[in-house]
Amino acid sequence: MLDFLAMGGYAWYVWMAYGAVALVVAVEIAAVRARRRRAFDELRMSLEPPSANALARAKDAR
Amino acid sequence: MINWFRLSSPVSFYPIAGAWSYAFAVLAALLAGVGLVVALWIAPTDATQGDAYRIIFIHVPTAWMAMFIYVVMAGWSALALGFNTRLSAMMAQALAPTGALMAALALWTGAFWGRPTWGTYWAWDARMTSTLILLFLYLGVIALRSAIEDPRRADRACAVLAIVGAVNVPIIYFSVQWWNTLHQGSSISLTAAPKMAMTMLAGILIMTAAAWCYAISVVLARVQSIIVERERGAGWLESLIDWRAEGTT
């Protein structure tokens, strides 16, 4: 295991490269999710007060 | 046969984008899992570069994606300008951040590969410089959009910039042939046995497929948010929010 992590002496380079990719992927996925949440929050706010149509649907759902 | 006109409307594209985004996310995870095992364990240590060469498995896919996403973005931009379609402009808008990240990763992984093999993190080599310009073009498109209040005007301005900037892509691609500089072509010396070259090629192809699926998934998820942001006045979004409120929140 330690042998694997050492990457034949190139650990710094290999893990800095792979680590950056992992970090960027994680951050981008989080950013996309946060943007979706924000977009729906703003949509909800823009719909206040709820339209008759939305109220009818909510009633149906219950 | 797929009805392409139906797909060009945000209303009908929204649910399809969601389903495809999910499917490609699953594919990307599977491919990345297999690709990483090949890249970090199965592929043998290189005779001359040692384990430093393993950076190739992320450097090449991110560099390809950075160029390819730009071409796709310019293509959507051309459609948006030519046919004045909202969804094309939204696709171009959704591609820019992922393209910028891929360009940044290509430069970053290249730096950490260049240091142990060439002795430097950075050089003003033709390919590296043109890839840096690619990153700036992505950032320019993103900045231009955020600087223009009216989304339809921003669409046109960004489309023009994206299309003009597309000349940089062939420059990156052919830079290693046109200029005799530090960045080599694909001349990585393995221990020469064809079996090892095959493992390396397979690893690069699997990782590239993973990068493709990842980009498709994340861009489709982002375009959904963009549709919600920009179609706020449209009545059909109301049904979406009702459904979400019952289902997930």
Side-chain angles (χ1 to χ4, degrees):
Chain A
M1 186 64 191
L2 276 177
D3 224 30
F4 170 71
L5 287 178
M7 276 292 150
Y10 293 105
W12 166 252
Y13 306 104
V14 172
W15 297 123
M16 280 301 278
Y18 277 82
V21 173
L23 182 73
V24 163
V25 166
V27 167
E28 188 177 22
I29 291 172
V32 164
R33 291 194 166 172
R35 184 170 185 172
R36 172 174 304 236
R37 247 194 323 277
R38 207 177 330 115
F40 272 99
D41 284 348
E42 280 169 16
L43 176 65
R44 238 180 243 121
M45 303 244 276
S46 75
L47 289 176
E48 295 309 347
S51 66
N53 186 17
L55 283 175
R57 274 168 187 280
K59 209 168 264 172
D60 285 349
R62 266 181 239 124
Chain B
M1 179 158 164
I2 303 170
N3 182 348
W4 294 105
F5 288 104
R6 204 173 67 81
L7 279 184
S8 71
S9 127
V11 190
S12 39
F13 187 69
Y14 187 92
I16 297 168
W20 286 7
S21 175
Y22 184 79
F24 278 104
V26 172
L27 259 178
L30 291 174
L31 286 166
V34 175
L36 283 173
V37 169
V38 173
L40 294 172
W41 279 279
I42 295 176
T45 303
D46 181 67
T48 52
Q49 294 192 16
D51 285 315
Y53 95 101
R54 292 185 194 279
I55 293 170
I56 197 174
F57 296 107
I58 45 175
H59 177 67
V60 169
T62 50
W64 279 348
M65 288 314 293
M67 284 191 284
F68 192 76
I69 288 176
Y70 198 94
V71 172
V72 176
M73 184 176 80
W76 281 118
S77 298
L79 278 179
L81 270 190
F83 298 101
N84 205 24
T85 42
R86 289 183 317 224
L87 189 60
S88 314
M90 292 179 190
M91 284 301 291
Q93 184 185 351
L95 281 158
T98 301
L101 287 173
M102 289 291 175
L105 281 177
L107 290 166
W108 179 270
T109 55
F112 278 90
W113 193 10
R115 178 65 194 166
T117 51
W118 298 336
T120 177
Y121 283 107
W122 179 259
W124 292 102
D125 154 275
R127 178 162 269 185
M128 293 146 91
T129 307
S130 51
T131 306
L132 185 65
I133 291 171
L134 182 73
L135 174 61
F136 290 157
L137 279 168
Y138 277 125
L139 297 179
V141 168
I142 295 168
L144 185 61
R145 176 167 297 280
S146 64
I148 301 174
E149 198 84 29
D150 175 20
R152 299 297 282 154
R153 285 191 57 206
D155 283 348
R156 284 193 292 275
C158 290
V160 171
L161 177 57
I163 292 165
V164 171
V167 292
N168 186 44
V169 174
I171 294 177
I172 300 174
Y173 191 79
F174 293 110
S175 58
V176 285
Q177 293 171 30
W178 293 346
W179 293 282
N180 187 16
T181 49
L182 196 54
H183 197 295
Q184 293 119 318
S186 49
S187 62
I188 298 111
S189 65
L190 287 175
T191 36
K195 197 181 154 226
M196 294 182 180
M198 280 304 290
T199 340
M200 194 188 88
L201 185 65
I204 291 176
L205 292 180
I206 296 169
M207 290 300 279
T208 302
W212 264 80
C213 292
Y214 169 77
I216 293 171
S217 175
V218 85
V219 166
L220 286 176
R222 187 179 290 120
V223 86
Q224 283 193 304
S225 300
I226 292 171
I227 290 173
V228 173
E229 288 163 13
R230 290 184 52 175
E231 301 279 292
R232 202 172 292 157
W236 68 275
L237 279 174
E238 251 176 88
S239 59
L240 210 61
I241 201 175
D242 289 344
W243 172 79
R244 265 181 67 93
E246 287 156 27
T248 58
T249 51

